[in-house]
Amino acid sequence: MFRLRAHGKKPITITTSTTTTASTFLYWSPESSPTTLSSPTNMDPTIWSNLPNHLLEHILSLLPFKTLLTLRSISRHLRSLILSPSFISDHSFSLPSFLLLSHPQSFNSFPLFNPNLISWCTLPLPRSLSLTNASSLLSSSNGLLCFSISPSSVSSLSIFNPLTRSSRSIKLPCYPFHFELLSLVTSPDGYKIFTLCSSSSAASSRSVCLYDSGDRSWRKFGGVDQVLPRGFNQDGVFYNGSLYFARSEPFLIVSVDLNDGKWNTATGDGVFPAVDEITFARLVSDPEKNILYMVGGIGSNGICRSIKIWEFKEETESWIETETLPDIVCKKFTSVCYHNYEHVYCLWHKEMICVCCYNWPEILFFHVGRRTWHWVPKCPSLPEKWSCGFRWFSFVPSLSASV
């Protein structure tokens, strides 16, 4: 056990321990420091600051995860070592993943559900990102969260990594900026932001706006109105370099390439998997195995009688049915959404296909590996008066996700 001290900062006690506390990082704050134990010895700053990187990395690898988070504020050198791709790849950290619940009345924190532990915890927001009635969480990807920053009218976006407590403000290409269907897509090289934008005139044509974190610039492409109707409210799903959308009336699957902004419409057997009447269709994708799924309601006269899951086979460009929701569960889900399928949306989270509804605080999910259906229970801290506006996100903390 020893202490690290930087000029002008309080010393931080370091205790080498094999026990990690990654699951408690959500309660950590930048002002906190590890508990001082019995009579630690102060280490001369000139000694540890001159240690070779390979020795310093070895010392860091022996520390608890929570201590590493605290050490980031000691010096830029330590921060760069801890967040370097080589250190992260050489030292595996067992981080939990969560389902994050957002609501218009949730200003300072978000409820988080851990599916592995079947437990709830809280993700506090920093003061700079505490939400107001005019701000909201828009998208999440690979440990990054995207917020709108709007004191009066939306003027910028903020990308925030809750694990590293780092954030970046992204100025929108124009002001005022009217946008819809915003999606954050991450990659090993950075991230892209997709959104549809238009001028203040309701009759004006819409454009695709793409932001690339590599060159920190926006690009604009046309052709939206020919493929996506106004009022379409389902976010795109990233698959094979494109964002895919399942639209209705008529039912079509369309996609936009995130490199050149070109749109494509699926034809033939790749359009929809069933000959029955489809009441709604939602897409989800498994980013690790690169698999595209469809969740669809089957029925007649606009009433869903059955919910099925299909998997897209790229080799044959066809959909294969993989699962049917049990009737009793289907009846419960369709009753809570009151057969208003515009409120139904889906997302992927760690081998789980989650089926959600904006006016219901629970999640119905299918575990692909176990082939079982489950309900995520209502968060016990939710006020009873919250009756709609529930929006779920997959939140997988990542040290390497850079803003």
Side-chain angles (χ1 to χ4, degrees), residues 3-4 29 58 91 100 122-123 126-127 132 139 142 191-192 225 227-228 290 321 401 403:
R3 280 182 174 178
L4 297 184
S29 63
H58 178 70
H91 306 88
L100 183 154
T122 301
L123 172 64
R127 292 180 180 178
T132 66
S139 185
N142 191 35
Y191 57 85
K192 293 182 179 181
D225 293 328
V227 290
L228 281 182
N290 196 34
E321 182 179 329
V403 299

Side-chain angles (χ1 to χ4, degrees), residues 226-277:
Q226 289 74 27
V227 290
L228 281 182
R230 292 182 181 272
F232 184 83
N233 63 355
Q234 296 296 326
D235 292 332
V237 172
F238 185 71
Y239 174 70
N240 279 350
S242 298
L243 275 183
Y244 281 73
F245 303 85
R247 52 163 289 182
S248 59
E249 299 178 0
F251 282 104
L252 290 174
I253 294 179
V254 299
S255 61
V256 57
D257 192 301
L258 292 187
N259 292 317
D260 56 22
K262 293 183 178 180
W263 289 89
N264 180 60
T265 301
T267 58
D269 295 336
V271 179
F272 275 97
V275 296
D276 304 290
E277 181 179 345

Side-chain angles (χ1 to χ4, degrees), residues 81-393:
L81 280 178
I82 294 171
L83 299 182
S84 65
S86 60
F87 182 80
I88 294 173
S89 61
D90 292 342
H91 306 88
S92 59
F93 302 104
S94 180
L95 297 176
S97 62
F98 304 91
L99 289 165
L100 183 154
L101 177 57
S102 173
H103 188 273
Q105 299 299 318
S106 181
F107 300 140
N108 302 314
S109 63
F110 292 128
L112 296 175
F113 180 75
N114 187 327
N116 292 327
L117 299 179
I118 315 179
S119 61
W120 291 89
C121 57
T122 301
L123 172 64
L125 293 176
R127 292 180 180 178
S128 59
L129 283 176
S130 294
L131 305 184
T132 66
N133 290 327
S135 303
S136 62
L137 174 60
L138 302 175
S139 185
S140 69
S141 181
N142 191 35
L144 296 181
L145 304 179
C146 180
F147 295 85
S148 64
I149 305 299
S150 50
S152 57
S153 180
V154 178
S155 59
S156 65
L157 303 174
S158 180
I159 304 298
F160 175 54
N161 186 330
L163 187 58
T164 63
R165 310 298 288 183
S166 56
S167 63
R168 178 182 298 277
S169 179
I170 299 175
K171 187 177 180 180
L172 295 173
C174 60
Y175 182 84
F177 186 74
H178 302 275
F179 67 92
E180 55 186 307
L181 299 183
L182 186 142
S183 295
L184 174 67
V185 178
T186 56
S187 68
D189 300 325
Y191 57 85
K192 293 182 179 181
I193 299 175
F194 164 93
T195 188
L196 302 184
C197 60
S198 63
S199 65
S200 57
S201 173
S204 63
S205 60
R206 296 172 299 166
S207 303
V208 170
C209 287
L210 283 176
Y211 176 84
D212 193 323
S213 66
D215 53 19
R216 299 181 185 177
S217 64
W218 289 90
R219 293 180 295 161
K220 185 180 289 189
F221 306 92
V224 178
D225 293 328
Q226 289 74 27
V227 290
L228 281 182
R230 292 182 181 272
F232 184 83
N233 63 355
Q234 296 296 326
D235 292 332
V237 172
F238 185 71
Y239 174 70
N240 279 350
S242 298
L243 275 183
Y244 281 73
F245 303 85
R247 52 163 289 182
S248 59
E249 299 178 0
F251 282 104
L252 290 174
I253 294 179
V254 299
S255 61
V256 57
D257 192 301
L258 292 187
N259 292 317
D260 56 22
K262 293 183 178 180
W263 289 89
N264 180 60
T265 301
T267 58
D269 295 336
V271 179
F272 275 97
V275 296
D276 304 290
E277 181 179 345
I278 296 179
T279 55
F280 70 89
R282 304 290 183 263
L283 300 175
V284 292
S285 66
D286 178 353
E288 295 182 359
K289 298 181 179 179
N290 196 34
I291 300 176
L292 184 65
Y293 294 95
M294 178 186 293
V295 179
I298 304 299
S300 58
N301 300 321
I303 302 299
C304 176
R305 305 296 182 186
S306 175
I307 295 179
K308 298 179 181 292
I309 296 177
W310 295 270
E311 179 183 335
F312 183 69
K313 296 298 183 181
E314 191 172 4
E315 305 82 10
T316 59
E317 294 188 349
S318 60
W319 294 93
I320 304 299
E321 182 179 329
T322 61
E323 184 65 28
T324 300
L325 180 64
D327 289 342
I328 188 171
V329 184
C330 181
K331 290 179 180 178
K332 176 182 178 180
F333 182 79
T334 54
S335 66
V336 300
C337 66
Y338 304 109
H339 296 289
N340 187 345
Y341 307 118
E342 290 299 315
H343 292 170
V344 177
Y345 63 100
C346 296
L347 59 94
W348 175 270
H349 176 77
K350 291 289 185 178
E351 287 195 280
M352 300 189 310
I353 297 175
C354 303
V355 187
C356 318
C357 186
Y358 288 112
N359 58 354
W360 189 249
E362 301 178 19
I363 283 183
L364 172 64
F365 70 87
F366 175 68
H367 195 289
V368 176
R370 302 170 187 167
R371 305 192 65 80
T372 54
W373 292 90
H374 306 271
W375 285 97
V376 171
K378 180 181 177 181
C379 177
S381 64
L382 283 184
E384 291 295 333
K385 62 181 179 180
W386 290 5
S387 58
C388 60
F390 303 102
R391 191 173 181 190
W392 292 88
F393 298 88

